[in-house]
Amino acid sequence: MLAILLKSGLCLFIFYGFYKLVLENESIHTFKRFYLLGALILSFSIPLITFTQYVEVIPRPLPELTSELSNNSIAQIGVSKKETSYLPIILWSIYSIGVLIFSLKFVVNLYQLILKIKNNPKTKRNSFSYVLLQNNVVPHTFFNYIFLNKTKFETYNIPKEVLLHEETHAIQKHSIDVVFIEFLQILFWFNPVIYLIKQSIKLNHEFLADKAVLMQGADAKIYQTILLQFSSNTQDYQFASTINYSSIKKRFTIMKTQTSKRITVLKSIIIMPLLAILIYSFSNEVTIEKTKNLQEIAFQNMQANEGATESMMKEYNNFITEYEATKRIYKDKLRRAAAIYDIMTEKQRASVTKYPETRLLRSYSEKELKHPTQEELDSWSQSTDLTISIDAMRIKNVDLNKYKPKDFVLYRLSRKPQTSDDGKSKPTKCFLYTDEGFKRIILKHNFNDYHRLFIKYMNEIDTSVNSKSSDNSELLILKTQLDNLYANFSEEEIKEYHPRMAPAIPSGNKIAKTIKVSEKVMEYNVLAKKYNNPNPKGQRYPREEIDQLYKLYNNLTDEEKTIAKVFPNLPYPIQKKYEQRKQQK
């Protein structure tokens, strides 16, 4: 707001300076009238002009944050107390007081004019109303009301030139300009240029009225003598156009001035570059980064490629053969097949059967949710052959009695190929999910798959650093899978899980290995690498190391997080236990 006020003030000052130096002494009074009004409007409009430039960019990776970090960011980020600044309060208070004072002044002056019109006799002539006042006043005009001394008017002591002068103010609606500038003065009372512009507008009104009188055939010298007799240097009518003594000398000079059409056109043209400079200098420019569609990027990358390698084509054809034989779809194989198909050239695609169209990401509808009944809970709690987990945490079967069916939104039963006495397959495991567990475990499957592929991709890059092989087929497949998955994430998933975008495939052996990292990043990377690649035979999660992992990550800057290893996608029970320890502290 302060910047806008400063810019508008500077614009108005430049417009006013141009008027004083170039236009004021010319006799193009109608043009000057609209210039001054236009200068006011443009001065307050130019700082509001915004030129928007759209730049197409590839989206940058976001700092990796796991859901538990985003959900508890307030708890993990230190909150610093900010000192209260009273300066804005003081400035706005002063501004408000000024607006109030000038508003009252505006209302009072307007009310006094209305009272004068209402309480004094009026004479109607043509479209003008002469308001006859008892006190000795200088003739002045407000819209179609012309205020005159009653005695002088009735005794015909007011020259016709003075009446014509005031009628010109009424005909040309000069009061509209005055009311407009008075209103702006309320809002911008602190800007000294407003008062200078106001004086120039009123003076130009006098130039216009003088010109109208002289064009009616009045003798210039006689008219100037009359102006001296009827001028005043003491009375100031805020809303009215009046004959003022202090401007008489200037008006006499302008009466003798004649501006040629050539000069008028030339000075009018000069305004255009002035306006262009002001718009360029005081407008705003905003650059908006227009993110490229990831699928479009992937497609362009594929077009730049030579297509799928022989080994890729073989893997793709094996997938199609297996699918046609079994009609079963394994999501991991499907995603790889979809990635290979994207890598293929148009000629290669024409030679194969396209993979089955299905969703690459999993989603759940309300119909797919399975709520257990009370009978099922009772049965499971008494079972000796069934192991029970709630939100991926194992519990004793008897502890299930503490819960009610409404506590769970989904359950799954895992069966082994063994049968009960009645010949039916017997469940051996029961997985129950609360609303929170469903959101942070089941609905997180897509992110979990993406995270797993991301780690595999980054490990593949690390492996390729010291490899002499130039074959980057696996990197290309993994990168394409990641781009496809990221492009299919919903805005809610991106906001919730903050998946980090996969970096570009490095060219040759020139990997971003030369980036210098701090000791805390290196220490964090050691733990992150360990838990990003858990032991397939069973990974332990010592409390001390998990707490240290979170602590190190939270101490990294945003810049350090972008170059550090991705935060491990820890199992939900480990996350929950950490959160519980945080709350206890």
Side-chain angles (χ1 to χ4, degrees):
M1 185 65 181
L2 180 61
I4 292 174
L5 292 175
L6 288 174
K7 286 181 179 181
S8 65
L10 286 171
C11 282
L12 192 59
F13 178 77
I14 293 170
F15 274 124
Y16 177 72
F18 180 84
Y19 175 81
K20 292 294 286 184
L21 293 173
V22 180
L23 297 177
E24 187 179 55
N25 293 327
E26 303 300 333
S27 60
I28 45 176
H29 307 311
T30 302
F31 176 81
K32 291 192 296 182
R33 178 188 181 185
F34 290 104
Y35 171 88
L36 289 169
L37 294 174
L40 287 167
I41 296 170
L42 288 172
S43 294
F44 303 119
S45 301
I46 288 175
L48 301 178
I49 297 174
T50 300
F51 293 99
T52 305
Q53 180 181 5
Y54 292 93
V55 179
E56 198 172 55
V57 295
I58 296 175
R60 296 177 59 191
L62 292 173
E64 179 65 24
L65 294 174
T66 57
S67 61
E68 70 276 8
L69 286 171
S70 61
N71 290 338
N72 296 280
S73 57
I74 296 176
Q76 294 176 6
I77 300 173
V79 179
S80 59
K81 293 182 180 179
K82 294 183 179 180
E83 294 182 3
T84 303
S85 175
Y86 293 102
L87 183 59
I89 299 173
I90 295 171
L91 292 177
W92 278 110
S93 298
I94 294 172
Y95 173 76
S96 300
I97 293 170
V99 169
L100 180 61
I101 292 172
F102 280 85
S103 297
L104 290 172
K105 186 179 177 183
F106 181 92
V107 172
V108 168
N109 289 332
L110 189 60
Y111 181 69
Q112 287 176 346
L113 270 176
I114 294 171
L115 281 181
K116 278 201 292 186
I117 295 170
K118 187 177 180 181
N119 297 334
N120 289 282
K122 291 174 284 293
T123 298
K124 188 82 172 178
R125 288 190 183 179
N126 298 326
S127 59
F128 312 111
S129 294
Y130 294 105
V131 182
L132 306 178
L133 307 176
Q134 295 295 333
N135 52 327
N136 190 21
V137 295
V138 175
H140 53 282
T141 305
F142 180 66
F143 287 98
N144 287 342
Y145 294 97
I146 300 174
F147 300 87
L148 304 168
N149 177 261
K150 183 180 179 182
T151 304
K152 289 183 179 180
F153 177 75
E154 290 176 346
T155 57
Y156 301 98
N157 284 327
I158 299 178
K160 63 178 182 179
E161 290 85 356
V162 172
L163 295 176
L164 180 59
H165 180 101
E166 297 303 325
E167 288 172 359
T168 302
H169 286 310
I171 292 169
Q172 297 183 4
K173 307 296 183 186
H174 293 166
S175 294
I176 294 175
D177 304 1
V178 177
V179 171
F180 176 64
I181 187 66
E182 288 286 345
F183 178 75
L184 287 181
Q185 188 176 291
I186 294 173
L187 300 176
F188 302 98
W189 59 266
F190 53 86
N191 189 343
V193 186
I194 281 283
Y195 303 94
L196 299 175
I197 288 277
K198 178 181 171 181
Q199 291 176 7
S200 294
I201 287 175
K202 286 191 169 186
L203 179 58
N204 192 62
H205 288 167
E206 300 306 315
F207 295 159
L208 285 164
D210 292 341
K211 184 177 181 180
V213 172
L214 294 177
M215 288 181 68
Q216 291 294 324
D219 183 88
K221 290 185 177 180
I222 295 174
Y223 178 59
Q224 290 173 358
T225 303
I226 292 171
L227 287 179
L228 286 171
Q229 292 174 354
F230 279 84
S231 63
S232 169
N233 200 30
T234 56
Q235 290 176 297
D236 183 22
Y237 303 98
Q238 292 293 325
F239 290 96
S241 300
T242 184
I243 302 173
N244 192 283
Y245 180 81
S246 61
S247 63
I248 289 294
K249 185 178 179 181
K250 185 79 171 178
R251 289 165 64 182
F252 287 176
T253 303
I254 296 299
M255 285 180 198
K256 303 173 185 176
T257 304
Q258 292 295 327
T259 303
S260 66
K261 289 185 178 179
R262 183 180 178 183
I263 295 296
T264 301
V265 172
L266 181 62
K267 293 195 174 184
S268 301
I269 292 174
I270 296 175
I271 294 174
M272 300 310 295
L274 172 68
L275 183 60
I277 291 170
L278 289 176
I279 292 174
Y280 178 81
S281 303
F282 297 106
S283 62
N284 305 295
E285 184 177 351
V286 176
T287 301
I288 296 178
E289 293 184 350
K290 192 178 181 182
T291 305
K292 274 189 175 182
N293 183 279
L294 287 171
Q295 290 178 324
E296 179 187 343
I297 297 169
F299 178 76
Q300 291 173 353
N301 290 340
M302 296 309 107
Q303 291 297 309
N305 233 332
E306 296 181 357
T309 62
E310 185 178 344
S311 62
M312 289 184 191
M313 295 297 293
K314 183 178 180 181
E315 179 181 345
Y316 183 85
N317 286 323
N318 288 341
F319 168 78
I320 295 296
T321 301
E322 182 182 351
Y323 169 71
E324 290 177 344
T326 63
K327 297 301 178 183
R328 289 184 177 180
I329 296 178
Y330 299 95
K331 63 178 178 62
D332 289 344
K333 290 184 178 181
L334 173 64
R335 287 171 181 167
R336 284 185 66 87
I340 294 172
Y341 189 85
D342 287 343
I343 295 169
M344 293 180 191
T345 62
E346 291 297 331
K347 184 177 180 180
Q348 288 175 324
R349 290 176 186 173
S351 67
V352 298
T353 303
K354 189 175 181 181
Y355 62 90
E357 295 285 353
T358 185
R359 293 178 301 186
L360 294 178
L361 298 180
R362 287 178 285 184
S363 61
Y364 286 83
S365 65
E366 190 69 29
K367 295 179 181 179
E368 294 176 279
L369 299 181
K370 294 172 64 178
H371 305 271
T373 64
Q374 186 61 53
E375 289 76 16
E376 286 174 322
L377 291 181
D378 293 340
S379 173
W380 297 336
S381 67
Q382 296 170 12
S383 174
T384 57
D385 301 321
L386 192 69
T387 58
I388 299 175
S389 298
I390 297 178
D391 293 342
M393 289 189 284
R394 177 80 177 274
I395 67 165
K396 294 179 181 180
N397 290 33
V398 68
D399 290 340
L400 198 58
N401 293 323
K402 301 175 183 178
Y403 296 89
K404 296 180 180 180
K406 66 178 182 180
D407 295 329
F408 305 106
V409 297
L410 179 70
Y411 75 89
R412 288 174 176 170
L413 294 175
S414 176
R415 302 172 185 271
K416 285 189 176 181
Q418 63 184 47
T419 57
S420 56
D421 297 336
D422 58 5
K424 294 182 179 179
S425 178
K426 188 177 181 180
T428 57
K429 294 180 180 179
C430 178
F431 303 95
L432 293 154
Y433 298 95
T434 64
D435 185 60
E436 181 186 5
F438 176 75
K439 291 176 180 176
R440 297 181 63 177
I441 299 175
I442 303 301
L443 294 184
K444 201 181 172 188
H445 270 309
N446 294 330
F447 172 75
N448 292 342
D449 291 344
Y450 182 86
H451 186 275
R452 176 176 54 78
L453 276 174
F454 188 93
I455 298 302
K456 189 175 181 181
Y457 176 66
M458 298 305 293
N459 289 341
E460 189 69 24
I461 289 179
D462 291 340
T463 303
S464 69
V465 173
N466 298 317
S467 174
K468 295 181 180 180
S469 174
S470 59
D471 183 14
N472 67 347
S473 299
E474 186 62 22
L475 279 174
L476 192 55
I477 293 173
L478 290 171
K479 177 67 166 66
T480 306
Q481 286 186 83
L482 288 168
D483 288 347
N484 287 342
L485 287 173
Y486 194 98
N488 282 280
F489 276 133
S490 66
E491 291 183 5
E492 290 75 15
E493 286 176 312
I494 292 176
K495 185 178 179 180
E496 176 72 17
Y497 304 121
H498 298 277
R500 182 187 291 184
M501 283 189 60
I505 297 174
S507 57
N509 289 330
K510 295 181 180 180
I511 310 293
K513 191 179 178 183
T514 57
I515 297 176
K516 294 182 179 180
V517 296
S518 62
E519 290 185 7
K520 61 179 180 178
V521 172
M522 294 175 64
E523 186 181 356
Y524 161 78
N525 282 346
V526 171
L527 284 176
K529 183 177 181 180
K530 176 180 177 179
Y531 293 109
N532 271 325
N533 299 277
N535 189 338
K537 296 181 180 180
Q539 178 67 53
R540 295 180 62 84
Y541 296 88
R543 184 177 69 178
E544 295 77 12
E545 283 194 1
I546 298 302
D547 289 352
Q548 181 69 2
L549 175 68
Y550 276 100
K551 181 180 178 181
L552 290 170
Y553 185 82
N554 292 332
N555 286 335
L556 298 180
T557 64
D558 289 342
E559 185 178 357
E560 288 173 329
K561 287 176 182 177
T562 60
I563 61 175
K565 290 189 178 296
V566 65
F567 193 90
N569 187 27
L570 299 173
Y572 174 68
I574 304 302
Q575 299 175 26
K576 191 164 185 178
K577 287 179 181 178
Y578 170 77
E579 292 170 1
Q580 289 171 348
R581 292 196 296 273
K582 286 280 294 181
Q583 290 175 356
Q584 290 173 359
K585 291 180 181 180

